[in-house]
Amino acid sequence: MPGRQWDAASKAKVVLEGLKGRPESAICKKHRIKPAEYRRWRKQFLANIARPLESRRSLSAERGRLLSGMSHHVWEESAKALRVAQELIEALPIPVFFKARDGKHLGANRAWEAYFGVNREAFIGKTVRELFADQPEVAARHQAADEDLWNNPGTRSYELEVPVHDGAQRHTLNYKATFTGADGDIAGLIGAIVDITERKRAEQRQAIEHRVTRILSESESPAEAMPGLLAAFCETLGWACGARWSLDAKTLGFRCEETWSAGDPAVEAFLTSSREATFHPGNAGLIRRVLGQGEPVWIVDVTAERNFLRGRQAAKAGLRSAFALPIRLGDQVLGALEFFHRETQQPDEWLLKTGVAIGQQIGHFMARTQAERDLRQSESRFRSLTGLSSDWYWEQDEELRLTFMSSRFVERTGIDPAPFIGRTRWDHPAPNLTESDWARHRAQLERHEPFFDFEIERVTPDGNSVWLSVSGEPVFEDRKFRGYRGVGTDITERKRAQGVLRAAYDELARSNSELQQFAYVASHDLQEPLRMIGSYTQLLERRYGDKLDADAREFMGFIVDGATRMKQLIEDLLAYSRVGTRGKELRPVQAQAALDRALVNLRASIESADAQVTHDALPEVSADDTQLTQLFQNLIGNAIKFRKRDEPIRIHVGVQDAGAEWRFSVSDNGIGIEPQYYERIFMVFQRLHTREEYAGTGIGLAICKKVLDRHRGRIWVESALGKGSTFNFTLSKIQKGES
């Protein structure tokens, strides 16, 4: 503090803060002292402690000199100071040791014993090379610092990683200071050891995280970032090499993607063999376990691990310890990182935790880069599609004002979009839309609902009209409405085609109506003179038949027969024309009931021909019951008509489930049909036989086809000449909810 008088005890307390590991800068800031002043205090403190702890011989000589040159009281005070110093060092929480000028240790405190796990009695009299016989690099570093102090007395400090009582490696900060003997010459040195492992690890983790963050921020892909990330980890922590593994979800195999090493050829050969291999999930191996469990794994010696499949290659490369950690995104494992050391290393929980944190950071980076890549691809596809499409893209803000319209709009319509930007769609009137139409559209947008195919008529600069169809969907960010985006298309040609089609439809409807009226009138008016011809011809035959010769009577028979056939033809034509205009609404009906009515209508024909008609259990179908009866009646009637004269008639009505529809069949053992006539028989007036052979007008099967066309069904024939025919047709099943 400014103006504060520092006594020896206060200075000692400040120095002890540094000996316990507190940074020098923090101590100086706390006590408002200069670094040079703090270092002077530390040097004085260590020298004062070391001075009373000279060898016993030196102490005895000093005592003799003191007794000869000073009073007994003064000497007692010095002895008391010696005891206080010794007790203080023994109570210090940090390891303290002493060594003589010849490099042999004179003693150490209790904290030193606990830290290194060595009894101080076994320690006294040994050099650093003897103490660290199995750690020659540690001994050499201590020896170099001692030699520097012997040559340049004073204080020194240096960092060193040393093995401690549990075999673990700890980072230490070593303070050393020389002390003099009674003759003023350098008699030895005193040293204090501060454990800075946690601080060192914090610095290492901060350094790794800083490098990782910088590399990830400067990279665009995992492949670009990984070599630098692996190097950051290995170089900071002293590991020999590293690699990244990825899992292929399709093949369920995993492979080595990127590697890093310091350039050792043997290690490079090991990494090359790893890159060339592809492994599959299992319980063995380092990467298998990490990817399977999603947790880090440590192997102390890969050359002795039976389940490590690359142990032989690792041993050849001089690698021993290894650990691997997952690259994670939440619960998802995206891959793994592995690292190898040249020496056996015990599991380090701090290192594993640090690695897991880095793995999570890399996982977020991979997810982000993948999302960015997907977004770029999506944008590229969007630009490509919009470039090829005849549609245009548009956007509206939260106030429903148009903010963007792609260039395709003016290309397609010839309309300048500038007057529309910054305004709502309904600010510009459209000839086809009323105020109520706009109000409904505006209300839909204010409810933030998607809309589709909203049609707008716009007038072009040349006075023509173009028709636009727009569709859009609302945009939300963080659950907040941000506007609309959508597409538009020019439907002018479609609207024009619709107009032409509508006009043609109206004309066709009018023409059909006139034709239907004509058919009805013609059939009604034509039948009357036919009845007159037939009636009067028959009357002539009854009154004057005995006066006519055979030729005249034959001619009159031709007239009656022709009138009768003409009447039947007109009736059949009328029935054919009414299939599509006089039909009932399609609804669920029992096919069995329709068949029963058809058999009643055909009873006379069936009995006279002695025909046998059988059937399956028929289902309920969606149909016009009257036309379904007519369908069965025509097909069974044809089977009776085209029978073989020398064989009993057998007719069977069957049905099969064909998925969404029923497939009916009417089979007979009649004369059959040749294949070239399969399509022709369903056309109007198409007969395969003369009237003398088989009666009829040739319209029956055409009516059947027209009935099935109305029912959205199909009809076809399968036949063999002389063996019979099967007429198949389909009808829809009853849909769910249909009544």
Side-chain angles (χ1 to χ4, degrees):
M1 304 293 290
R4 176 174 177 177
Q5 297 297 320
W6 291 93
D7 55 26
S10 299
K11 293 178 181 178
K13 289 182 179 179
V14 173
V15 172
L16 283 173
E17 290 184 32
L19 295 178
K20 291 179 181 179
R22 188 183 183 110
E24 179 183 296
S25 59
I27 295 173
C28 294
K29 182 177 180 181
K30 175 183 176 183
H31 298 288
R32 298 185 181 179
I33 58 176
K34 295 180 179 180
E37 189 173 11
Y38 167 75
R39 297 189 191 104
R40 186 171 66 252
W41 291 357
R42 183 176 64 194
K43 178 179 179 181
Q44 184 180 5
F45 174 81
L46 295 173
N48 288 340
I49 290 178
R51 190 172 294 114
L53 297 175
E54 300 169 356
S55 65
R56 290 178 181 273
R57 185 173 55 190
S58 298
L59 290 173
S60 298
E62 179 67 15
R63 181 180 181 182
R65 283 191 292 273
L66 287 171
L67 288 174
S68 64
M70 66 176 67
S71 68
H72 179 74
H73 174 73
V74 173
W75 187 90
E76 287 293 337
E77 288 297 322
S78 296
K80 182 179 179 181
L82 171 62
R83 289 193 302 272
V84 170
Q86 288 175 328
E87 292 173 0
L88 175 61
I89 291 173
E90 187 67 15
L92 279 174
I94 60 174
V96 179
F97 64 90
F98 314 93
K99 65 173 62 177
R101 178 65 182 79
D102 59 3
K104 295 182 178 180
H105 287 81
L106 300 174
N109 66 350
R110 190 164 43 245
W112 191 95
E113 282 186 310
Y115 192 70
F116 288 100
V118 178
N119 188 290
R120 73 180 96 180
E121 296 301 327
F123 160 77
I124 294 174
K126 292 185 177 180
T127 65
V128 291
R129 295 191 183 279
E130 293 173 314
L131 286 174
F132 297 101
D134 57 344
Q135 298 279 334
E137 67 280 0
V138 175
R141 183 70 180 88
H142 282 311
Q143 186 67 35
D146 292 351
E147 294 294 338
D148 185 35
L149 278 169
W150 303 141
N151 296 328
N152 301 285
T155 61
R156 297 288 185 277
S157 64
Y158 58 91
E159 294 182 8
L160 187 62
E161 189 175 4
V162 298
V164 295
H165 64 90
D166 59 357
Q169 294 290 119
R170 305 289 291 181
H171 291 277
T172 62
L173 178 62
N174 293 261
Y175 290 103
K176 289 183 178 180
T178 55
F179 60 85
T180 59
D183 56 3
D185 294 333
I186 300 299
L189 60 81
I190 179 173
I193 300 173
V194 178
D195 191 311
I196 59 171
T197 302
E198 296 307 318
R199 188 188 81 189
K200 198 71 176 176
R201 285 179 168 176
E203 291 173 353
Q204 287 179 330
R205 178 165 181 167
Q206 185 178 18
I208 293 173
E209 291 178 343
H210 175 74
R211 286 185 65 178
V212 168
T213 301
R214 179 178 57 80
I215 292 169
L216 294 180
S217 66
E218 296 173 353
S219 303
E220 295 185 358
S221 67
E224 180 182 344
M226 278 303 160
L229 297 176
L230 297 172
F233 216 94
C234 293
E235 290 173 346
T236 305
L237 299 175
W239 287 64
C241 62
R244 178 177 77 96
W245 293 77
S246 68
L247 178 65
D248 190 329
K250 293 182 178 178
T251 64
L252 296 180
F254 48 92
R255 58 183 180 273
C256 181
E257 300 285 2
E258 294 93 19
T259 60
W260 181 89
S261 73
D264 186 299
V267 174
E268 282 293 334
F270 168 74
L271 295 176
T272 299
S273 67
S274 297
R275 284 194 299 268
E276 293 173 350
T278 299
F279 298 95
H280 294 278
N283 297 322
L286 181 64
I287 300 301
R288 278 191 176 96
R289 291 161 62 189
V290 172
L291 294 178
Q293 301 169 7
E295 298 294 337
V297 175
W298 189 291
I299 300 178
V300 176
D301 188 351
V302 295
T303 63
E305 179 72 29
R306 292 173 56 189
N307 289 332
F308 186 73
L309 305 181
R310 294 170 287 155
R312 183 178 299 176
Q313 298 97 315
K316 188 176 181 180
L319 303 175
R320 287 295 179 268
S321 287
F323 78 95
L325 51 98
I327 299 174
R328 301 181 67 107
L329 179 65
D331 295 333
Q332 184 181 7
V333 179
L334 304 179
L337 299 178
E338 68 174 359
F339 300 93
F340 292 87
H341 204 286
R342 293 187 179 279
E343 300 174 2
T344 56
Q345 301 287 317
Q346 295 300 318
D348 189 330
E349 290 299 324
W350 171 85
L351 182 55
L352 290 176
K353 290 180 180 179
T354 300
V356 168
I358 298 299
Q360 292 174 342
Q361 190 175 0
I362 295 172
H364 285 287
F365 166 76
M366 293 175 66
R368 176 175 59 81
T369 54
Q370 181 62 43
E372 291 173 350
R373 184 163 55 252
D374 292 343
L375 179 60
R376 287 194 298 269
Q377 292 176 351
S378 176
E379 290 176 346
S380 177
R381 286 194 298 268
F382 174 77
R383 286 192 296 269
S384 176
L385 290 174
T386 53
L388 295 173
S389 173
S390 60
D391 297 347
W392 59 86
Y393 175 75
W394 56 265
E395 293 180 356
Q396 290 175 226
D397 60 17
E398 57 268 23
E399 299 297 328
L400 306 179
R401 296 170 299 198
L402 285 167
T403 58
F404 174 79
M405 199 119 49
S406 64
S407 59
R408 198 56 91 161
F409 174 75
V410 66
E411 293 176 12
R412 293 293 298 168
T413 66
I415 299 175
D416 182 7
F420 298 90
I421 301 300
R423 305 184 67 180
T424 64
R425 197 171 285 120
W426 46 87
D427 286 338
H428 296 266
N432 69 308
L433 298 172
T434 65
E435 287 297 328
S436 60
D437 294 331
W438 282 123
R440 284 191 295 272
H441 179 62
R442 183 167 60 248
Q444 187 178 19
L445 298 186
E446 290 171 349
R447 292 193 299 269
H448 305 159
E449 297 175 350
F451 65 93
F452 305 95
D453 300 324
F454 183 70
E455 296 184 359
I456 308 172
E457 184 182 3
R458 295 295 187 194
V459 179
T460 62
D462 58 7
N464 293 321
S465 288
V466 293
W467 284 83
L468 317 176
S469 175
V470 293
S471 301
E473 61 178 12
V475 178
F476 294 92
E477 291 181 5
D478 299 327
R479 298 185 179 182
K480 185 176 181 181
F481 175 68
R482 296 297 186 184
Y484 272 84
R485 61 188 171 198
V487 294
T489 186
D490 185 346
I491 60 170
T492 304
E493 293 301 322
R494 189 182 79 190
K495 295 296 287 187
R496 289 174 180 168
Q498 287 177 347
V500 173
L501 187 61
R502 181 173 298 279
Y505 175 81
D506 292 342
E507 177 61 24
L508 182 61
R510 183 191 62 76
S511 176
N512 283 342
S513 177
E514 292 178 353
L515 287 173
Q516 290 171 12
Q517 184 66 24
F518 171 78
Y520 176 78
V521 172
S523 62
H524 182 272
D525 292 349
L526 284 175
Q527 289 191 55
E528 184 59 31
L530 286 175
R531 280 195 299 271
M532 182 182 298
I533 293 172
S535 298
Y536 279 97
T537 302
Q538 292 172 350
L539 182 59
L540 283 172
E541 184 180 10
R542 284 197 300 271
R543 288 188 179 183
Y544 305 104
D546 55 345
K547 298 179 180 179
L548 299 175
D549 57 16
D551 289 341
R553 285 193 297 273
E554 183 181 8
F555 295 158
M556 293 179 70
F558 290 156
I559 294 173
V560 172
D561 181 63
T564 302
R565 286 190 289 106
M566 176 66 78
K567 181 176 181 298
Q568 184 62 50
L569 181 61
I570 292 171
E571 290 176 351
D572 287 348
L573 281 173
L574 185 60
Y576 181 80
S577 68
R578 288 177 173 176
V579 169
T581 60
R582 298 292 182 90
K584 300 178 183 177
E585 180 183 357
L586 305 186
R587 61 181 61 201
V589 298
Q590 293 293 337
Q592 183 64 57
L595 176 62
D596 291 343
R597 286 193 296 273
L599 294 177
V600 170
N601 295 340
L602 293 169
R603 179 180 299 170
S605 299
I606 293 172
E607 291 177 352
S608 64
D610 195 21
Q612 180 184 358
V613 181
T614 59
H615 59 82
D616 295 342
L618 303 185
E620 187 177 40
V621 294
S622 178
D624 176 337
D625 58 344
T626 300
Q627 292 184 349
L628 183 56
T629 299
Q630 185 180 20
L631 180 63
F632 281 126
Q633 185 172 323
N634 284 359
L635 293 177
I636 296 173
N638 271 4
I640 295 173
K641 180 191 300 184
F642 297 104
R643 63 185 183 273
K644 289 188 286 189
R645 303 301 179 184
D646 56 350
E647 189 174 330
I649 303 172
R650 293 191 303 275
I651 302 170
H652 181 75
V653 180
V655 66
Q656 290 182 345
D657 189 337
E661 59 188 11
W662 295 106
R663 188 172 72 185
F664 291 84
S665 62
V666 178
S667 303
D668 62 55
N669 62 340
I671 62 175
I673 305 171
E674 294 182 79
Q676 65 265 33
Y677 301 121
Y678 285 177
E679 297 295 331
R680 176 181 169 186
I681 59 175
F682 295 105
M683 300 173 66
V684 179
F685 301 139
Q686 297 301 310
R687 298 173 53 88
L688 304 183
H689 307 279
T690 65
R691 295 184 183 88
E692 288 73 18
E693 293 176 298
Y694 297 99
T697 60
I699 295 180
L701 289 177
I703 291 176
C704 291
K705 185 177 184 305
K706 194 168 185 181
V707 166
L708 287 164
D709 287 344
R710 179 171 180 257
H711 285 69
R712 295 186 177 87
R714 296 171 294 120
I715 185 170
W716 69 99
V717 66
E718 297 171 349
S719 182
L721 191 62
K723 295 183 179 180
S725 302
T726 298
F727 284 85
N728 302 285
F729 64 90
T730 61
L731 289 173
S732 300
K733 288 184 176 179
I734 304 297
Q735 300 300 314
K736 184 177 180 180
E738 186 176 355
S739 61

